[in-house]
Amino acid sequence: VSQVANQSLVSSACDVVSTAYTSAKESHPYIRSVCDAAEKGLKSVTEATASCVQPVLATLEPHVAAASEYASKGLDKLGEKLPLLQKPVEQIISDATELVSSKVADAKDAVS
């Protein structure tokens, strides 16, 4: 999970969503109260679940470690094959906009 979260694309996307969420909470009192209630509920559920799941995780730890190592290797290969994952969202949007603009300009030139 941490390896996925550290990918530039994922990390920057999370930052964009977090900024939008914070902005929405600050701008709208009704949204803030709903979000605060949801956050408190989620925190309570997470704490309760963590204490119940801990013994199961201890039993499954070797299997989780093996799956994690396998997933890590797969993510490394995916990162090699898709360099897009190494770019932040802003750069991907900028590159896509530039590519579309270039194609539109080429099409205009061809029509002219």
Side-chain angles (χ1 to χ4, degrees):
V1 171
S2 63
Q3 189 174 359
V4 170
N6 287 331
Q7 294 287 329
S8 293
L9 176 61
V10 175
S11 177
S12 66
C14 288
D15 290 343
V16 168
V17 170
S18 177
T19 300
Y21 177 77
T22 302
S23 175
K25 277 180 65 175
E26 290 173 357
S27 301
H28 307 286
Y30 296 120
I31 291 176
R32 181 182 318 121
S33 59
V34 170
C35 290
D36 287 345
E39 289 171 14
K40 287 178 185 174
L42 187 59
K43 184 177 179 183
S44 298
V45 168
T46 302
E47 290 170 354
T49 304
S51 63
C52 295
V53 172
Q54 194 61 39
V56 175
L57 288 178
T59 304
L60 295 176
E61 188 173 353
H63 304 291
V64 171
S68 178
E69 184 177 338
Y70 183 74
S72 178
K73 289 178 183 176
L75 285 170
D76 288 343
K77 287 182 181 179
L78 187 62
E80 291 171 8
K81 300 224 184 265
L82 293 173
L84 180 75
L85 294 174
Q86 306 303 323
K87 295 181 180 181
V89 170
E90 296 83 4
Q91 185 177 358
I92 293 169
I93 291 171
S94 173
D95 291 350
T97 302
E98 186 177 314
L99 178 63
V100 169
S101 296
S102 171
K103 296 298 179 185
V104 168
D106 290 347
K108 282 173 125 179
D109 291 344
V111 169
S112 296

